[in-house]
Amino acid sequence: MAERCTYKMFVSWSIYPRILCRSTCKGSLTSWYPVFGALILVLLLVLQLSMSVLLKTDDRPTDNYVQHVVRKLTELEYANLEAKSVSSNRAGSNIIDLCDAFPHALEGKIEPLSLLKTFPEVRPGGFWRPTDCEPRHTVAIVVPYRDRLEHLEIFLKYIHTILFRQKLEYRIFIVEQATGCTFNRGMLMNIGFLEAMKHGNFSCIVFHDVDLLPEMDDNLYSCSVTPKHMSVNIDKFDYRIPYDSLFGGVVAFSKDHFKFINGFANRYFGWGGEDDDIKRRVDNRGLTVIRPPDSVARYSMLKHGAEAGNKANPIRYFEMKRALEVQNVDGLSSMAFNPNMYKVLDTKLMDLYTKITVEIHKIEVLKVLPTLFPIRPRHPWISSKFRKFIAKEKT
Ligand code: UDP
Ligand code: BGC
Ligand code: MN
């Protein structure tokens, strides 16, 4: 009978011989071989079955699947930051549950019909927080602005509706540059950041052009573990990114990261360059930029021309060359060093936003920096018009 507990029996794949041999093999280890064998077999079968289920993709409903993955990705993207922002929000309140990281109200594509027309719940100054759950993020939305009322009205309608759905605690700051000085988008962002911090303990700041309307409500207006570029695919560029390092339009920074890179550069007057400059600052500090999935990071840009007070800045490429060299000098640091660089003229609590009107003093802004053109440029490729511009800059 002992023979029944041998290899021959092991390969017979049957448990039966093991039962037979139990009485005869008397505890010898070899008597357990068939059991081990059977167990290993069962394990292998289970493994194979689960692998085949996992790898089987043919019969998946593709659209739903893509939607699902996209949503999950966005959800995961933010998951890491939750603990951080939650700890400050939750102090003293454990009565209601934390809002979902990916709230149920999100539908993906925004139907204009679903946009609200009135916002009775928004408190003066454009502040809102959900009442049915504890928000995970406290966000300041900072918008650089001058004379685009038509855009502002549409923007507010979109943004409030979306932020409700995302269950964020937020406040909207419109930073308006008074007339008289060339528009300075970067500096308005810095002023917005500093002023916002006087109104609340925001852990996250979203810097947002007034003419960009998010097309998807699951493009979350909260901060990630690294700075985030949210307006990747814009209708104006046929939903294709014009160049890979683009970092303009809508970007989100944690408060700490924004301080860490010394904010935006203040020295870009007129259109262009300040967004490319801040991207260099981010890279230079070893931070990587995160982007939501392409199908989520979609925006429409409201139509506009080029404003007289915001002409393309002809020296932006020269300024960009010294981006890293002056990173520590030009930015939040210089604003603390020289308080005369700007003046807050007015802070008004409007129904749907806080309006901060500021005056920018160009001479004071540039004074803290080394001269950009120390020697008179003689290069033949510099046009006389440009020479005049530089001469004016130097005075
Ligand atoms: N902006 C403004 N008034 C101006 C110029 C610019 O409010 O006269 C603000 C506004 O938020 C706008 C942003 O600055 O969306 C960027 O300017 P613009 O839209 O002209 O630049 P684009 O990104 O379209 O090239
Ligand atoms: C400008 C940026 C701008 C980008 C896309 C670049 O040339 O420097 O400021 O965002 O073009 O329009
Ligand atoms: Mn625009």
Side-chain angles (χ1 to χ4, degrees):
M1 283 296 269
E3 259 180 42
R4 286 201 175 146
C5 309
T6 62
Y7 175 74
K8 214 171 154 191
M9 219 179 294
F10 179 79
V11 291
S12 74
W13 311 120
S14 163
I15 201 88
Y16 178 66
R18 144 93 184 97
I19 294 163
L20 275 185
C21 91
R22 191 148 83 187
S23 54
T24 52
C25 297
K26 301 226 164 82
S28 118
L29 187 62
T30 49
S31 68
W32 291 91
Y33 281 178
V35 181
F36 293 155
L39 275 177
I40 288 168
L41 249 183
V42 171
L43 275 176
L44 281 173
L45 272 171
V46 169
L47 197 72
Q48 197 194 354
L49 261 172
S50 36
M51 287 304 281
S52 63
V53 168
L54 278 177
L55 296 175
K56 200 174 157 205
T57 53
D58 298 344
D59 54 354
R60 269 182 193 160
T62 319
D63 283 353
N64 287 348
Y65 178 64
V66 170
Q67 284 273 332
H68 173 77
V69 171
V70 163
R71 281 165 187 273
K72 281 290 162 205
L73 271 178
T74 346
E75 192 177 346
L76 278 175
E77 188 190 319
Y78 305 110
N80 283 338
L81 203 76
E82 314 310 9
K84 237 187 183 180
S85 52
V86 165
S87 54
S88 57
N89 286 343
R90 298 212 85 187
S93 117
N94 41 19
I95 306 147
I96 52 173
D97 283 342
L98 210 55
C99 300
D100 288 338
F102 199 73
H104 296 298
L106 299 179
E107 290 168 6
K109 189 159 171 52
I110 296 155
E111 299 300 335
L113 279 178
S114 70
L115 292 176
L116 302 180
K117 291 203 177 74
T118 53
F119 304 92
E121 313 95 321
V122 175
R123 290 200 232 147
F127 173 84
W128 184 82
R129 85 190 301 273
T131 47
D132 57 341
C133 59
E134 189 66 25
R136 288 171 184 260
H137 304 273
T138 310
V139 186
I141 315 279
V142 171
V143 181
Y145 179 81
R146 180 151 80 185
D147 196 20
R148 291 219 190 161
L149 190 59
E150 208 182 308
H151 288 183
L152 180 59
E153 281 168 0
I154 303 171
F155 170 74
L156 291 168
K157 198 165 141 180
Y158 267 79
I159 214 69
H160 280 294
T161 312
I162 289 163
L163 298 174
F164 290 167
R165 290 186 193 172
Q166 297 191 356
K167 304 265 180 201
L168 301 166
E169 176 175 324
Y170 69 88
R171 182 160 172 167
I172 297 177
F173 295 89
I174 304 293
V175 194
E176 179 188 50
Q177 185 175 343
T179 47
C181 180
T182 308
F183 195 72
N184 187 329
R185 181 176 177 271
M187 185 152 174
L188 290 175
M189 301 297 204
N190 283 343
I191 298 172
F193 172 81
L194 296 171
E195 289 301 306
M197 290 306 152
K198 294 180 187 166
H199 288 90
N201 186 19
F202 301 100
S203 56
C204 172
I205 300 89
V206 176
F207 298 98
H208 206 306
D209 280 1
V210 74
D211 57 10
L212 287 175
L213 307 177
E215 292 185 6
M216 309 295 287
D217 66 10
D218 43 4
N219 193 356
L220 298 183
Y221 277 68
S222 47
C223 283
S224 199
V225 278
T226 58
K228 180 167 61 163
H229 183 219
M230 297 171 66
S231 55
V232 187
N233 304 310
I234 305 179
D235 61 349
K236 180 181 156 182
F237 301 120
D238 291 328
Y239 297 104
R240 276 191 292 259
I241 191 156
Y243 53 98
D244 196 50
S245 62
L246 183 80
F247 196 61
V250 186
V251 294
F253 276 92
S254 72
K255 178 170 97 181
D256 294 341
H257 278 156
F258 193 67
K259 282 184 178 167
F260 181 51
I261 61 160
N262 198 22
F264 276 86
N266 293 315
R267 65 187 187 285
Y268 290 85
F269 285 85
W271 182 90
E274 80 296 334
D275 48 353
D276 301 315
D277 186 290
I278 200 173
K279 172 67 168 58
R280 290 178 188 204
R281 290 173 172 232
V282 168
D283 294 345
N284 192 37
R285 287 282 182 271
L287 299 172
T288 47
V289 167
I290 193 168
R291 282 184 174 137
D294 271 347
S295 54
V296 171
R298 288 167 69 90
Y299 282 79
S300 305
M301 191 189 284
L302 295 166
K303 302 253 172 321
H304 62 79
E307 282 90 355
N310 193 30
K311 287 199 182 124
N313 176 2
I315 54 167
R316 63 186 188 280
Y317 299 112
F318 293 95
E319 288 293 8
M320 257 183 275
K321 278 199 181 127
R322 60 170 178 170
L324 306 186
E325 201 183 308
V326 297
Q327 173 163 9
N328 293 335
V329 184
D330 184 17
L332 297 175
S333 61
S334 56
M335 294 163 90
F337 176 73
N338 178 6
N340 298 326
M341 280 168 44
Y342 70 100
K343 188 173 174 202
V344 175
L345 300 179
D346 194 21
T347 300
K348 256 200 200 118
L349 301 197
M350 311 297 279
D351 284 348
L352 299 180
Y353 59 94
T354 299
K355 183 173 177 181
I356 299 166
T357 308
V358 295
E359 192 176 69
I360 291 180
H361 305 144
K362 187 170 177 180
I363 293 173
E364 295 290 330
V365 172
L366 299 177
K367 164 166 128 180
V368 296
L369 285 158
T371 321
L372 180 59
F373 302 105
I375 355 157
R376 207 187 139 89
R378 287 174 201 285
H379 310 286
W381 51 269
I382 294 184
S383 68
S384 61
K385 197 174 154 206
F386 191 56
R387 244 178 261 255
K388 271 187 212 149
F389 180 89
I390 294 169
K392 216 169 107 200
E393 283 289 305
K394 289 173 79 178
T395 55

